[in-house]
Amino acid sequence: MLTKQRSSRSSRLGLLIGLAGVGVGLATGFLIGGTNPLYLGLALGAIPFLFYFFTKFEQAVMGLLILRGSLDAFSGQQIPAAFAIALDFLTLLYVTVKLLTGQPVRVDNFWWFFAGWVILQGLWVILLPLGGVGLDASFLPESIREWVRLFSWAMVYLLVMQLKDKLSPEKVISGLFLSLVIPITVALMQMFLPSLLPPMLSVGGGDLGSMVSDAGSRIRGTFGVANTFATFVLLFIGLTWWKVKWVQHRLSWLVLLGLLAFFFVSTKSLFSLIMLAVFVVVLIAPKLSFLNLIGGIFLFMLVIALFASTEFGQQRLSSIANTPLLNPDIDISRAILLSYGDHNSFNWRLSQWNLLLNRWQQFPVLGYGLGLSIQAGGNGFLPHNDYIRALIEGGIVGFVTYIAFFVAQAVHLVQLMRSAPRKSRQRDLCLTLLAILASIPVGMITENIWSHTTLFFYWWTLFAVVGWNWNEQQTEEKFAMKQPQFKSG
């Protein structure tokens, strides 16, 4: 009986895959009529990949997760957007097949909250053509694009959840480190061999070769902006820190930690130093010991010293003295006036925030529409403050949902940490993610962290994995002693 059920499921699965293949084939037929050859090639390649995705699900998903870290280099060709749409399609198709064949779909309570939150954000997309927000229906494509970006994060979470009980959490996290290979390789080339970079590789609308023509430029890896690379590296600094504690051979991971700290400083992002400080404080506070304190201080001081050793870093640090933060003779009004000629990035931010807050007062309740802060400002720049962005795009209502979203993440991690065994890998990873989560809202005060799509792609991957059943009963002391364990039967 069981064999017949499995055979029936397999036949239905094969039928659904075949139908999906026919659908891709029909789409290919339309493309043959003379449209973009790149899209034609992608459509033809999608057919065998679709079969590979279903037959080798674990390997295919891990490959997609690893690949995402290198795609921002092709933003000019819309490859990251195409990747996100394809990932959404694959996730929905896979879940549909599992439901139709009577197989369980893995979700947790937070995913339902996440999905509901994303659906709620669609309210601002619906209100746009109805005249319920500050801008009109002509901006609908931009608003839809932003909602799809948020929807893709939920799909990443859902897709990774389907790996539960198929791959171990440690194996998934270890695999994610492979996503560092290409960004770090490109970063090294930017520093030492810029002439060898492909001249036609577009990053953020610019030419990668020209963007790194001198070795003193800000390092950005495969990312269009150095700040985006900084938050990506910070995430993996946290993961590497976690790995160092739980691996037997620590030297290679300590080397990687030092390398990541070097690249982190090479981005020359001042806001990221504050994020690192918050990360270190939160990480060592619950289990403060002399060793942890020394390690945290050493890591932070190393980064600060490397940053201050460069001319650019010294200029960034000294520029703070000409802002209301450290100069009592400069108030906010004067700083805004100075921003038009002093080239001080912080004073410019004050001017930008003042502009957007004045615009927000015209539509304070529901704002101007999802993803439309640039259009609302009218000067072509993002707010450089994600709280003001949430306020001007969603109004007071959107701002409340935005804050609630981050509070819910923190609550979920705390609940997981309390339920995990003491001194376990899972509990320690929860603390590491809490430290990263605490640093992100701090960075959002002066930076467009919400636009760092790759950071959140890997964040939601880890957020899904940390909630799995790790089956850990082994304490830190037992792990340190490396006592052999045997399973009976």
Side-chain angles (χ1 to χ4, degrees):
M1 184 68 179
L2 183 60
T3 304
K4 289 183 179 179
Q5 290 178 347
R6 289 178 177 175
S7 177
S8 176
R9 288 181 179 178
S10 299
S11 61
R12 282 182 288 175
L13 178 61
L15 176 61
L16 288 168
I17 295 176
L19 290 174
V22 171
V24 175
L26 291 174
T28 302
F30 287 105
L31 291 170
I32 292 178
T35 57
N36 194 324
L38 174 62
Y39 298 150
L40 174 60
L42 291 175
L44 291 173
I47 299 175
F49 179 78
L50 199 60
F51 282 91
Y52 175 76
F53 181 80
F54 277 90
T55 57
K56 301 290 184 181
F57 178 72
E58 295 87 351
Q59 295 90 326
V61 173
M62 287 304 303
L64 291 172
L65 296 178
I66 293 168
L67 178 63
R68 181 58 185 87
S70 306
L71 294 184
D72 279 17
F74 306 99
S75 296
Q77 291 77 30
Q78 300 297 315
I79 297 300
F83 177 88
I85 294 173
L87 191 71
D88 296 345
F89 169 77
L90 288 172
T91 303
L92 293 174
L93 178 62
Y94 184 80
V95 169
T96 301
V97 168
K98 295 196 73 173
L99 291 174
L100 292 177
T101 55
Q103 301 177 63
V105 176
R106 304 285 187 180
V107 292
D108 58 12
N109 291 333
F110 185 84
W111 185 85
W112 289 111
F113 171 81
F114 191 4
W117 184 86
V118 171
I119 293 173
L120 178 62
Q121 302 310 301
L123 173 66
W124 279 266
V125 180
I126 297 173
L127 289 174
L128 195 62
L130 298 178
V133 292
L135 294 174
D136 55 39
S138 63
F139 298 95
L140 187 60
E142 289 85 354
S143 193
I144 293 176
R145 188 178 300 114
E146 175 65 11
W147 186 85
V148 170
R149 188 173 76 100
L150 303 181
F151 177 77
S152 297
W153 293 351
M155 290 299 100
V156 170
Y157 194 117
L158 181 60
L159 183 62
V160 173
M161 283 298 297
Q162 307 318 305
L163 294 176
K164 185 178 180 181
D165 298 329
K166 296 180 179 179
L167 293 176
S168 68
E170 295 92 339
K171 186 172 183 179
V172 174
I173 295 174
S174 296
L176 295 182
F177 280 92
L178 294 176
S179 64
L180 288 170
V181 174
I182 295 180
I184 284 181
T185 301
V186 174
L188 286 170
M189 295 176 67
Q190 288 171 347
M191 298 184 70
F192 304 111
L193 299 170
S195 61
L196 297 181
L197 289 170
M200 298 303 293
L201 189 58
S202 176
V203 179
D207 180 83
L208 184 57
S210 63
M211 292 171 72
V212 294
S213 57
D214 64 320
S217 63
R218 299 177 65 184
I219 301 304
R220 52 179 56 85
T222 53
F223 297 83
V225 181
N227 291 347
T228 309
F229 185 42
T231 55
F232 174 76
V233 172
L234 178 61
L235 178 67
F236 279 94
I237 286 177
L239 284 183
T240 307
W241 183 293
W242 173 76
K243 271 285 188 180
V244 166
K245 182 175 179 179
W246 294 104
V247 295
Q248 297 182 13
H249 306 288
R250 298 180 176 181
L251 180 59
S252 59
W253 290 101
L254 287 171
V255 171
L256 177 60
L257 184 62
L259 183 64
L260 290 176
F262 173 70
F263 284 119
F264 186 73
V265 173
S266 299
T267 62
K268 301 176 182 177
S269 299
L270 185 58
F271 82 95
S272 63
L273 298 181
I274 308 301
M275 292 181 66
L276 179 64
V278 173
F279 167 78
V280 171
V281 169
V282 175
L283 194 64
I284 67 176
K287 46 184 180 180
L288 188 61
S289 66
F290 181 75
L291 184 60
N292 287 335
L293 181 62
I294 294 299
I297 293 176
F298 176 76
L299 175 62
F300 183 69
M301 294 305 297
L302 174 64
V303 172
I304 289 291
L306 290 173
F307 186 84
S309 65
T310 64
E311 182 179 355
F312 181 86
Q314 294 169 5
Q315 292 174 355
R316 293 299 299 271
L317 292 173
S318 63
S319 66
I320 302 178
N322 296 318
T323 68
L325 287 176
L326 297 180
N327 193 333
D329 297 328
I330 300 178
D331 58 16
I332 294 179
S333 299
R334 184 182 176 189
I336 293 173
L337 292 175
L338 290 174
S339 68
Y340 296 102
D342 65 355
H343 303 290
N344 188 306
S345 62
F346 186 81
N347 288 338
W348 176 87
R349 281 170 167 78
L350 291 175
S351 175
Q352 178 74 350
W353 302 342
N354 180 69
L355 168 67
L356 292 174
L357 289 174
N358 288 333
R359 297 287 174 86
W360 162 73
Q361 292 176 10
Q362 301 176 27
F363 298 93
V365 179
L366 294 174
Y368 285 82
L370 187 66
L372 299 179
S373 57
I374 293 178
Q375 293 80 357
N379 60 1
F381 294 104
L382 283 168
H384 287 72
N385 182 307
D386 285 324
Y387 303 104
I388 293 178
R389 175 175 179 170
L391 194 61
I392 195 169
E393 290 184 2
I396 296 174
V397 177
F399 179 80
V400 171
T401 66
Y402 186 77
I403 299 300
F405 187 50
F406 282 93
V407 172
Q409 293 176 57
V411 170
H412 182 67
L413 287 175
V414 170
Q415 290 175 342
L416 287 176
M417 188 166 63
R418 288 179 175 178
S419 62
R422 293 192 62 189
K423 300 181 179 180
S424 64
R425 291 174 176 85
Q426 183 183 18
R427 190 184 184 96
D428 203 41
L429 182 59
C430 286
L431 178 59
T432 302
L433 294 184
L434 269 174
I436 296 172
L437 180 63
S439 71
I440 288 176
V442 173
M444 285 178 166
I445 297 174
T446 60
E447 182 52 36
N448 306 304
I449 306 292
W450 193 242
S451 298
H452 296 186
T453 304
T454 308
L455 166 69
F456 287 104
F457 181 93
Y458 288 104
W459 170 256
W460 292 119
T461 299
L462 295 168
F463 209 85
V465 171
V466 76
W468 292 0
N469 182 13
W470 288 52
N471 294 318
E472 286 189 289
Q473 299 299 328
Q474 188 180 34
T475 63
E476 183 181 8
E477 290 84 3
K478 289 182 179 179
F479 177 80
M481 294 172 64
K482 303 180 180 64
Q483 294 180 348
Q485 294 185 354
F486 302 92
K487 293 183 179 179
S488 60

